[in-house]
Amino acid sequence: MILSSLGDGSISLSDSLVSTLRDARSIVVLTGSGVSAESGVPTFREAQTGLWELYDPHELATPEAYQRDPKLVWEWYSWRRELVEKAAPNPSHEALADLERRLPEGLVLITQNVDGLHWRAGSRRVLELHGNIMRSKCSVEDIAVEAGADDENVPPSCPGCGAYLRPDVVWFGEVLPVGMLEEAFEAARGCDLFISAGTSGLVQPAASLPFEALRSGAVLVEINPNDTPLTRHADYALRSLAGEVLPKLVKAAFGGQVRGGRSGH
Ligand code: OAD
């Protein structure tokens, strides 16, 4: 493992890493909430701020919590939606969207994040493993549907069947979208470079993806200022903020202005 980090917090990129990115024919990037942290969206295991500091997210992001108190859960997600709506994509999101433009068929972006910031930055080949907080779905029919404009109920009701709506996200104990998960594992098996950025690597099945890539012979890069269970398995462990290193890495490998990087336009 090549550990890259300079004492002053800046990051040095080895030539071998840059050429690995440049020469890769199939890249998978797995992102977690650390990538959105620089947009002001709290990471998942960060102490909840404001009104919700008394609540453990594990007590809110579960079907049982929703059955017990749908109003509380809906209000917690409304609070998170407002955070996300105020947030903007940061240089990490921009650099990954830029990378997709340079490798339209060569990059699959898998995210655990539900904030939709990759899409807003311009990424289109995105697998949202845990859903998207900006979408709602019927809690009975399990179809994506939005509340009627004049529905003031909390939670609102499904216009079709009248059942409560819920956020279109995966809760603890729920299964991920099956087809999407298979697509993610197939991409991990077929890539020659796997980049894990901004995730603690603690939640399955997403946490197994980098190991699937390693088993298939991929080079593994981790971008995280802290250690994770993945760090010791990584070929390159970049102890840095994703917003610092991703624009640099894409620019070093492909040249040109990286939108959202320091000298971005
Ligand atoms: P966590 O909060 O578990 O981990 C965030 C990781 O990002 C930590 O390892 C931080 O060190 C790192 N980090 C923080 N700021 C960073 C930055 N600027 N650049 C790079 N890394 C940074 O969040 P996730 O790993 O995303 O699932 O959590 C995974 C899943 O656990 C979530 O999707 C959610 C939760 O249960 C569901 O809700 C189903």
Side-chain angles (χ1 to χ4, degrees):
M1 171 181 77
I2 300 174
L3 180 62
S4 303
S5 175
L6 299 178
D8 63 0
S10 65
I11 192 83
S12 68
L13 297 176
S14 67
D15 293 345
S16 62
L17 170 58
V18 174
S19 56
T20 299
L21 175 58
R22 186 184 304 120
D23 301 340
R25 60 173 174 72
S26 172
I27 303 170
V28 169
V29 179
L30 171 67
T31 63
S33 62
V35 159
S36 292
E38 293 167 79
S39 294
V41 179
T43 59
F44 207 84
R45 285 163 183 78
E46 189 176 48
Q48 295 299 318
T49 52
L51 181 62
W52 303 99
E53 60 190 3
L54 301 181
Y55 292 84
D56 172 356
H58 293 81
E59 291 304 309
L60 289 163
T62 65
E64 295 75 19
Y66 182 75
Q67 292 304 326
R68 194 171 49 243
D69 192 341
K71 183 172 182 296
L72 173 67
V73 173
W74 182 267
E75 285 177 333
W76 184 55
Y77 277 90
S78 297
W79 171 71
R80 287 179 64 190
R81 272 184 175 176
E82 282 170 29
L83 268 185
V84 166
E85 282 166 343
K86 288 180 197 145
N90 66 56
S92 292
H93 302 106
E94 303 276 3
L96 292 172
D98 193 68
L99 186 58
E100 179 183 299
R101 280 189 288 275
R102 298 170 191 271
L103 303 166
E105 296 308 314
L107 171 69
V108 175
L109 175 53
I110 303 169
T111 188
Q112 301 170 91
N113 300 338
V114 296
D115 54 35
L117 288 175
H118 286 303
W119 184 269
R120 283 171 55 191
S123 293
R124 288 297 176 264
R125 293 191 74 199
V126 186
L127 299 180
E128 293 182 315
L129 287 187
H130 294 163
N132 187 313
I133 199 171
M134 302 314 286
R135 281 195 312 265
S136 302
K137 68 178 181 181
C138 175
S139 59
V140 168
E141 299 166 290
D142 201 31
I143 52 172
V145 67
E146 295 307 324
D150 55 352
D151 187 336
E152 299 290 322
N153 297 310
V154 179
S157 307
C158 169
C161 74
Y164 279 147
L165 295 188
R166 53 163 282 184
D168 188 10
V169 297
V170 177
W171 280 332
F172 292 106
E174 292 186 318
V175 293
L176 277 65
V178 176
M180 189 185 293
L181 191 57
E182 283 163 6
E183 188 178 348
F185 273 92
E186 191 178 325
R189 280 191 286 273
C191 72
D192 45 18
L193 173 61
F194 191 104
I195 301 174
S196 172
T199 179
S200 58
L202 296 174
V203 173
Q204 295 297 350
S208 297
L209 287 166
F211 293 98
E212 193 75 14
L214 277 176
R215 275 193 289 277
S216 306
V219 171
L220 177 61
V221 178
E222 181 181 53
I223 300 173
N224 195 320
N226 299 309
D227 255 357
T228 75
L230 191 63
T231 306
R232 63 192 179 87
H233 301 280
D235 297 288
Y236 300 89
L238 309 183
R239 285 277 172 72
S240 171
L241 301 183
E244 157 84 21
V245 71
L246 277 170
K248 273 187 182 176
L249 193 52
V250 173
K251 186 175 177 188
F254 299 103
Q257 295 294 328
V258 173
R259 206 158 56 87
R262 287 194 188 292
S263 52
H265 43 266

